Amino acid sequence: MTKFALSPEREKHVEEILARYPNPKAACIPVLHVCQEQNGWISEEVMQFVADRLSLSTAHVKGVVTFYTLFNKEPVGKHQVWVCRTLSCALRGSDEILHHCENRLGISPGQTTKDGKVTLRTAECLASCGTAPMMQVDKDYYENLTTAEVDRILDRLVK
Amino acid sequence: MLRQTTYLTKRYGVPEGWTLPVYERDGGYQQAKRALSMERQALVDEMKAANIRGRGGAGFPMGVKWSFMPWPPKPEKPHYLVINADEGEPGTFKDRTIMELDPHAVVEGCIVGCYGIGAHAAYIYVRDELHLSKARLWGAIKEAKAKGYLGAKPFGIDYPVEVYVHTGAGAYICGEETSLLNSLEGSRGEPRLKPPFPAQAGAFGLPTTVNNLETIAAVPTIMALGGDNFSKLSDLHDQKDGGCRLYGVSGHVNKPGIYEACVGLTLRELIYDLGGGVKGGELLAVIPGGSSCPLLRPDELVDAPDPKSPLHRWHGKNVLDVPMGVETYRALGTMLGTCCAIVMNDKTDIVLAMHNLMRFYRHESCGQCTPCREGSAWIYRILERMAANEATLEELDRLHEIASNIMGNTICAFGEGTAMPALGFLKKFRKEFEAHIRTKGKSSTGRLAL
């Protein structure tokens, strides 16, 4: 089993995070984010690493990882596309946006394209109700979407 | 009454409006400096006079909340200020605009808030998805620190203040204050039993005040205007619901977005004057302040013959013409929530709308309490059947039962947040639900989108 370790820059980032809190346990979620940024997902080794680094039990870390939607429990594509489908977005056509993404990518929500480039997901409200329909691609929001705009975005991703 | 203001949105749309030079041009950080030289009690009194009700949904008076903190703070028991910017309620998107477009107001509010409650550190809990919000807040903190407004001696005054951004990892329940605290402490975001309340044992087991982000961002405005003047901006000043606030409107309207106005705006003004009117048809229903608030129908009239009722002034009038306030909306049998309305036109299938929202609640129940975990899933399963035209009238009644059995039987308000809107849908659209079942879906429009 390969042992997980953070790059020196990310290790420095962890030190900065730890300095913000009165105890290391509070750094659990931010440190998991840093690890996921490097590894793409939270593997058993990553959980072990975080537990050791913050003096927590692996059971605690596992409990945290499985509770939150944004921690990937398995490897994901290079890009992640989240289509919001909660009510405000649904009223403005998010179903059409989602179906369009499914057809274009040939996958269902939760799946990754064969070339490993894109993982498609549905989101429950991304606080963008006034600019619906919308989707999040990696760290960016795309709002007031049309299917033509979705095509342009996906073209860039699968290139 | 529609009175638009720009206290909270002055820098929205201003180039580089989120940077320190723009904020300082508008008198930024003068109020924080002044606050740090005030007596603590005078500061809390100013906030009480402002009658600002928490903007996160529960509507608790902020000044009163600050005054609950044990005083004076004991050196071995530091206090904390925690800002709730989790913003996951469907229909609600106001805090995000503040973080992106006016982050310095948040940082300045945090300095005043820390002093007011005796804390030296503030954590702003932001949901992880909001990458731009986090970047803008960190940017503002960095700028303020470089100028000496934060740190060991803000403005040269011996009262250390640090502000940090803490991120979650995707869980709506973390907007509930005690599960937010668990999440801040590095655990699963499961709500805690109250009491103890956060003012006794909050973050890290220490006295803590949790304020909504919009509430804290309004603090510099309150200081600049004076508490009493701020309160009197509101039409509901006499109901201790003061100031101005952000209103959101989304769904089937022509101009969805965030608008700032004095407290006392009516739904009709929000939908027709600010939101540009209903898009694609007539108004069917509106969810007034985030999806946990039971919806209102445009044909409902106010029934408040009792002169003591906060609604008496509007007795016999249409519900859309009642000023949006914490007390008025509670009396209407709904909630003001976050003041961010979701509008549905008459082409909307009400079964599908409820199905959509109940999917959200099933997905977001933290799973700690059985009635909520099982109840939300059960409600959703029945609605799945209803949407597929397979449900029976008996199951419609069962929805009532399940929702009623969640009410009051859970640790936190998420259970009620699921059950109340569910019961609202069933009560106000009973005929439509029955017709849907009887006709096997033939009575429905079958769609949500325009």
Side-chain angles (χ1 to χ4, degrees), chain B residues 145-166:
Chain B
K145 236 179 133 93
K147 276 271 197 152
Y149 301 161
L150 284 172
K153 277 191 149 194
F155 314 99
I157 299 161
D158 199 9
Y159 191 88
V161 177
E162 293 290 350
V163 179
Y164 307 106
V165 177
H166 178 91

Side-chain angles (χ1 to χ4, degrees), chain B residues 257-274:
Chain B
I258 295 293
Y259 302 93
E260 183 191 331
C262 296
V263 171
L265 186 79
T266 66
L267 257 185
R268 194 183 298 283
E269 289 160 340
L270 178 59
I271 296 167
Y272 293 94
D273 297 340
L274 298 176

